[in-house]
Amino acid sequence: MTTPGWEGVRSRVAALVARRNAVLEETAGAWVRFAREQGWSRHDVETLWEGLTEDLVRRYTRGEDRPGGRDVTRRDVLAVMGGLRDRITKALGS
């Protein structure tokens, strides 16, 4: 049995996930257009992406004081950046 409150929360979470996916698709599309305009290969994007990802991990884990905070933040950054990279490199092909 589900309560009306639970359905509302579930609905909001589903909307947030859908919005997040839309933002990732939009961002990946912009990167693909940019890479193509610059004549970049999939390898070029992957090389750049490694550096960007590590920089973001350093920036977002700086000052994390909560127990396990750095690990959680690192996993979150890696997951988002990995998802974007996968979308971009898939669109760029080999």
Side-chain angles (χ1 to χ4, degrees), residues 21-37:
N21 287 337
V23 168
L24 289 175
E25 287 298 324
E26 182 180 325
T27 303
W31 270 97
V32 168
R33 286 187 301 278
F34 172 79
R36 285 185 176 147
E37 288 170 3

Side-chain angles (χ1 to χ4, degrees), residues 3 6 26 33-34 50 62 67 69 76:
T3 63
W6 173 247
E26 182 180 325
R33 286 187 301 278
F34 172 79
E50 287 178 31
R62 189 180 307 143
D76 290 347

